[in-house]
Amino acid sequence: MSDVESLLDDLYNAVLDGQAPAAKKIVGQLIEQHVPAETILYDGMIPAMDEVGRLFETGEVFVPEMLVSANAMKAGMELLQPLLELSDVKPLARIVLGTVQGDIHDIGKNLVGMMLKGAGFEVIDLGVNVPPARFVSAVEGASIIGLSALLTTTMPNMKVTIDALTAAGVRDRVKVIVGGAPVTEEFALEIGADGYASNANQAVTISRALLGIEPALAA
Ligand code: B12
């Protein structure tokens, strides 16, 4: 196993075991070795979160363990944030992001936000447990509204939010994109969203596509 592979392995274990200081330290070491931020995320930290989810589902870990793993992932993400985000560029367009009402999961949404910023978008993050009316009031000046949901029980609130945009007469002013582990393309179509992405890179691709922005110009 190469040095990098073994560090990615250690990172996976640190996130799985919820060791925030260790996770942060290993992310630092990987950055020093010029490992791309996306490799650190997709080959180290995200698979660990998937495993935590699997263990929760089978009753082998409980909410506190999920929480410490989430904190370890967030500690590592702090170091990746400056690498993923761009500053001092004229924003391509404004994207408003939020986790829908009833749902407090924010790691995926935060990642989507970082990647969108890195691709040159202005991101307004409304946070978690965001009521539909809050999205409606943030539409002014925005080109896209991005909704995140991680619970099957909160997915319907994506439709409630889209319906609130329609009722307020602002639905045609913005594109709506949706995502989160349980969300599918089919569900996105069903609720009248304009786009769906299964990960943060695709969120950038779909946002550019919806606004007709060429990747070469956006880079
Ligand atoms: C960490 C975690 C928690 C943490 C959240 C901490 C935080 N700050 O986010 C805590 C401990 C708080 C938590 C709480 C709960 N959780 Co939880 N949690 C997870 C876990 C393990 C990981 C989620 C995660 O961060 N994944 C990593 C990120 C990077 O992935 P992601 O969120 O999917 O995001 C990517 C894509 O989906 C996409 N994306 C995400 N958002 C968006 C938005 C847009 C616009 C786009 C385009 C794309 C996009 O891009 C992202 C990056 O690539 C998942 C298991 C899992 N595998 O999903 C369970 C999971 C989601 N939780 C679950 C449950 C049941 C709960 C609780 C109800 C538990 C309880 N009994 O209290 C509570 C709910 C609290 C609430 N009201 O929201 C279940 C949901 C089951 C279901 N059918 O709905 C899961 C699936 C675990 C399981 N297997 O059973 N959880």
Side-chain angles (χ1 to χ4, degrees):
M1 203 186 271
S2 76
D3 236 26
V4 168
E5 277 168 359
S6 118
L7 279 173
L8 285 170
D9 210 43
D10 291 347
L11 178 59
Y12 173 92
N13 288 316
V15 173
L16 189 60
D17 298 341
Q19 296 169 11
K24 194 166 182 173
K25 187 171 162 213
I26 300 164
V27 169
Q29 290 169 332
L30 285 161
I31 292 172
E32 268 170 29
Q33 301 218 19
H34 307 289
V35 176
E38 289 172 23
T39 305
I40 299 174
L41 277 170
Y42 289 109
D43 294 351
M45 297 203 276
I46 293 181
M49 295 308 284
D50 285 342
E51 178 61 5
V52 175
R54 194 191 63 75
L55 293 171
F56 177 78
E57 214 169 311
T58 54
E60 287 161 82
V61 304
F62 301 95
V63 173
E65 285 95 337
M66 277 206 291
L67 196 55
V68 287
S69 288
N71 287 341
M73 169 135 190
K74 284 189 168 187
M77 275 165 64
E78 273 172 31
L79 294 183
L80 294 180
Q81 189 159 2
L83 303 179
L84 294 173
E85 293 181 358
L86 276 181
S87 54
D88 302 333
V89 290
K90 189 174 168 290
L92 294 169
R94 180 186 293 174
I95 302 189
V96 172
L97 280 184
T99 302
V100 297
Q101 193 157 34
D103 201 321
I104 60 163
H105 294 86
D106 67 355
I107 295 177
K109 167 189 67 64
N110 294 346
L111 260 178
V112 169
M114 286 178 202
M115 297 257 184
L116 286 170
K117 280 188 194 166
F121 290 95
E122 177 192 7
V123 174
I124 308 287
D125 188 342
L126 301 181
V128 298
N129 189 21
V130 181
R134 181 77 190 88
F135 283 108
V136 171
S137 61
V139 162
E140 195 59 46
S143 303
I144 295 181
I145 303 273
L147 308 176
S148 182
L150 263 287
L151 299 173
T152 45
T153 48
T154 56
M155 281 167 67
N157 288 337
M158 292 181 147
K159 177 159 180 357
V160 175
T161 304
I162 293 176
D163 290 348
L165 293 170
T166 306
V170 296
R171 175 66 185 92
D172 54 356
R173 285 200 220 158
V174 282
K175 302 288 183 195
V176 177
I177 59 172
V178 294
V183 179
T184 60
E185 181 134 42
E186 198 187 6
F187 176 77
L189 281 174
E190 210 176 283
I191 62 170
D194 300 297
Y196 156 79
S198 66
N199 61 52
N201 290 323
Q202 276 181 26
V204 171
T205 309
I206 188 86
S207 299
R208 283 179 180 147
L210 285 170
L211 302 179
I213 297 167
E214 294 290 327
L217 295 175

